Amino acid sequence: MFALMDKLLERVVPKATASADTSYYKYCGACGYVPAFDNVARLKRQCHVVGGTTSCGPCNLWDIGC
């Protein structure tokens, strides 16, 4: 009886798949002096991994200090 119910459940309910979506920062270049900040900084971009596909945005974020 339980085997029959398990088979029925397998057909009705799809199996769960786990995939983690994450974001991270990637540096675009070397560290250097930025007069606007009066400090050393470097450009970085935000990247995302969604469903196994990676994509990155433009290099428009600053990381102060190196």
Side-chain angles (χ1 to χ4, degrees):
M1 173 104 175
F2 288 112
L4 178 63
M5 296 301 271
D6 285 340
K7 286 184 180 182
L8 179 64
L9 189 61
E10 283 179 8
R11 289 187 181 194
V12 175
V13 179
K15 292 190 178 198
T17 57
S19 65
D21 298 341
T22 187
S23 296
Y24 62 95
Y25 290 98
K26 187 175 185 180
Y27 290 109
C28 301
C31 189
Y33 179 74
V34 180
F37 299 135
D38 192 28
N39 205 335
V40 290
R42 61 180 161 180
L43 278 171
K44 64 182 178 180
R45 64 173 67 186
Q46 189 174 19
C47 298
H48 306 281
V49 179
V50 179
T53 304
T54 303
S55 64
C56 295
C59 292
N60 62 357
L61 301 171
W62 287 97
D63 195 11
I64 305 296
C66 297

